[in-house]
Amino acid sequence: MIFSILFFLAQVAVSALAAPIVNERDGVTAASVSVISSYTPYIQFARAAYCTNGANKWTCGAACNAISDFQIYAGGGDGAATPSWFVGWSSSLSSIVVAHEGTDPTQFLSLLNDIDFVPDPMDQAYFPGVSSSIKVHGGFQDTFKRSASSILTAVKTVMAAKSSSKVTLVGHSLGGALALLDSVYLKIQIPSITTKTITLGGPRVGNPAFADYLKSFDLTRITHSQDPIPIVPGRLLGFAHPQGMC
């Protein structure tokens, strides 16, 4: 199954070689070849999150080789209850990068992160000042909290080392949900930063109030028309994507 996930991301990475099928619906815009090509570095970072296994070494193979100018500063997670993640510096993007692994279908604890879908208020210990009317997927939030403080520390380290306040966050599937929560958390904890968040096949993370809260964020969602993950949890359960996207 992990091979299948990596193969899917690899296919997305090279999809600019073929003309995309235009299939617009509910305000979702079909991407052109040039746009798809421009997101290749972010796709490779999402792939690498499945391969680094929480290590702080950039030796994961094809994905790491594709972005060889990246300097990793920290990594963590166990690939199960806590998906693998890494933080580092991309010279080509001139940005700090935070990337999260998605759900590993071979790990029971990883699957449990997705099952607890009851919307909960955002934890004030991590999101002080956020209204209690803003709610997010309980399992995603619990998973986020297991790596949040370590990621915050790592981001501050790279900021100091590179004199940069630009942070790029990426993730596939569950990793996309974590990247979205990281975006809110890091902006609250370090107001001076500028964030750019790219999710690939990410699920809905919160309620409509959460989606509205994210309107001022720089967000890009990349999905595939045949992928069921972006349409769960369902809207009837009170979930919504940001920026008015279904």
Side-chain angles (χ1 to χ4, degrees), residues 16 36-38 48-49 55-56 65 67 89 105 124-125 145-146 150 154 170-171 173 181 198 216 245:
I36 293 173
S37 179
S38 71
N56 57 1
N65 293 339
I67 34 181
W89 173 256
Q124 291 295 300
K145 290 191 288 188
R146 288 194 281 271
S150 296
V170 300
S173 187
L181 292 171
I198 300 95
S216 63
M245 296 182 179

Side-chain angles (χ1 to χ4, degrees), residues 8 12 23 25 200-201 221-230:
F8 168 77
V12 174
N23 181 21
R25 59 181 177 82
L200 298 102
R221 293 179 53 246
I222 301 174
T223 63
H224 189 284
S225 62
Q226 303 302 312
D227 184 2
I229 299 303

Side-chain angles (χ1 to χ4, degrees), residues 70 88-97 158 164 166-168 194:
F70 183 69
W89 173 256
S90 169
S91 297
S92 57
L93 298 177
S94 296
S95 175
I96 300 161
V97 174
V158 187
S164 175
K166 180 181 177 182
V167 182
T168 301
T194 300

Side-chain angles (χ1 to χ4, degrees), residues 210-234:
F210 178 70
D212 288 341
Y213 182 85
L214 292 169
K215 283 182 177 179
S216 63
F217 285 70
D218 182 354
L219 306 176
T220 300
R221 293 179 53 246
I222 301 174
T223 63
H224 189 284
S225 62
Q226 303 302 312
D227 184 2
I229 299 303
I231 61 172
V232 296

